[in-house]
């Protein structure tokens, strides 16, 4: 594909439900990032992958958040037992190795009721 | 830890007027600074980065290490510049890019 693809674009979950958000990066991009963007705020770093290795997960807010990228391509961000404070747009980005530019997906907007 | 501050949440100017979006950062080492832009109904995209020292869409930004600032400037704003602008910082050789809270620029006709 031409860019980073994320699905679903919109997700409404009841408090306590588990959700899974998918990111399909640009083909060949080794590095992949997840960010959380709350309303009115800038993107907040969650986690970073290089190929299938999760090299940094320091931004994950709690152990309910889990990310994986088992084959070094598609990544999934899973949130267990969702809470209202998890409501946000979750952005995925992949990075071009030659100059480090980040390419963002359109985001997955999660609303927890 | 690095931090990026954009003091203005909203900025409104008239078409043809100069515009400056402020960005201040705190980081003790050598950072790489970026401006990202998000136009209405589009995804976040890179506008410019300090190391390339280029002008994109008429915008420039100079890294001032003394004042720890990386303000974005354009001498004559256009209506199509209306968007959300985010300043971002990453330590050299690091992967953790930190974003400011953003400034919404509105250019009025």
């Amino acid at each position: 594909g031409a860019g980073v693809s994320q699905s679903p674009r919109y997700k409404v979950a009841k408090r306590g439900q588990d959700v899974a958000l998918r990111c399909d990066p640009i083909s060949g991009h080794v590095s992949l990032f997840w960010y959380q963007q709350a309303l009115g705020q800038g993107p907040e770093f969650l986690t970073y992958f290089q190929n299938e290795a999760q090299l940094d997960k320091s931004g994950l807010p709690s152990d309910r958040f889990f990310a994986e990228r088992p084959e070094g391509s598609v990544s999934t961000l899973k949130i267990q037992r969702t809470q209202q404070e998890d409501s946000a747009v979750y952005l995925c980005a992949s990075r071009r190795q030659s100059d480090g530019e980040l390419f963002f997906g359109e985001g997955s907007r999660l609303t927890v009721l | 830890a690095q931090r990026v501050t954009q003091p203005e949440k909203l900025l409104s100017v008239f078409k043809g007027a100069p515009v400056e979006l402020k960005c201040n950062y705190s980081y003790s080492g050598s950072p790489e600074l970026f401006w990202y832009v998000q136009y209405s109904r589009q995804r976040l995209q890179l506008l410019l980065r300090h190391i390339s020292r280029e002008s994109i869409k008429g915008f420039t930004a100079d890294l001032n290490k003394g004042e720890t600032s990386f303000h974005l400037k354009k001498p004559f704003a256009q209506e199509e510049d209306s968007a959300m602008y985010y300043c971002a910082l990453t330590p050299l050789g690091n992967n953790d890019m930190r974003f400011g809270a953003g400034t919404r620029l509105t250019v009025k006709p």
Side-chain angles (χ1 to χ4, degrees), chain A residues 56-106:
Chain A
D56 187 344
K57 54 182 181 179
S58 62
L60 295 176
S62 78
D63 59 7
R64 295 186 295 104
F65 287 70
F66 172 75
E68 60 183 5
R69 195 185 184 197
E71 297 177 0
S73 178
V74 170
S75 177
T76 304
L77 176 67
K78 297 179 179 177
I79 309 173
Q80 297 176 322
R81 304 181 304 281
T82 52
Q83 303 294 314
Q84 281 191 314
E85 62 263 27
D86 300 335
S87 295
V89 175
Y90 290 86
L91 295 169
C92 177
S94 65
R95 185 165 64 189
R96 182 165 59 196
Q97 195 134 349
S98 58
D99 62 1
E101 182 175 343
L102 284 183
F103 292 84
F104 283 85
E106 292 179 294

Side-chain angles (χ1 to χ4, degrees), chain B residues 1-4 27 37 40-41 48 52 65 68 78 83-84 87 95 103 109:
Chain B
Q2 63 270 33
R3 192 172 67 192
V4 178
Y27 180 64
V37 61
S40 179
R41 289 185 289 278
L48 56 78
S52 55
K65 291 186 177 181
T68 60
Q78 303 300 313
M84 197 74 189
C87 182
N95 300 300
T103 297

Side-chain angles (χ1 to χ4, degrees), chain A residues 20-63:
Chain A
L21 308 176
R22 176 190 167 106
C23 173
D24 208 332
I26 293 173
S27 177
H29 281 193
V30 166
S31 302
L32 183 147
F33 299 77
W34 282 99
Y35 286 86
Q36 180 190 58
Q37 187 172 20
L39 192 63
Q41 301 296 317
E44 295 280 345
F45 171 80
L46 292 177
T47 187
Y48 159 70
F49 288 86
Q50 186 165 310
N51 294 307
E52 68 279 4
Q54 188 175 20
L55 298 186
D56 187 344
K57 54 182 181 179
S58 62
L60 295 176
S62 78
D63 59 7

Side-chain angles (χ1 to χ4, degrees), chain A residues 3-5 33 35 37 40-43 45 48 55-56 58 91 95 99-106, chain B residues 9 32 34 36 38 41-46 49 51 84 86 90 94-102:
Chain A
V4 177
S5 178
F33 299 77
Y35 286 86
Q37 187 172 20
Q41 301 296 317
F45 171 80
Y48 159 70
L55 298 186
D56 187 344
S58 62
L91 295 169
R95 185 165 64 189
D99 62 1
E101 182 175 343
L102 284 183
F103 292 84
F104 283 85
E106 292 179 294
Chain B
K9 275 203 170 293
E32 187 169 1
F34 306 80
Y36 278 80
Q38 188 166 25
R41 289 185 289 278
Q42 293 188 28
R43 59 188 72 192
L44 198 58
Q45 59 186 286
L46 178 67
R49 56 201 308 172
I51 58 170
M84 197 74 189
Y86 295 95
T90 187
N94 197 302
N95 300 300
D96 183 1
M97 184 173 286
R98 297 294 175 103
F99 286 82

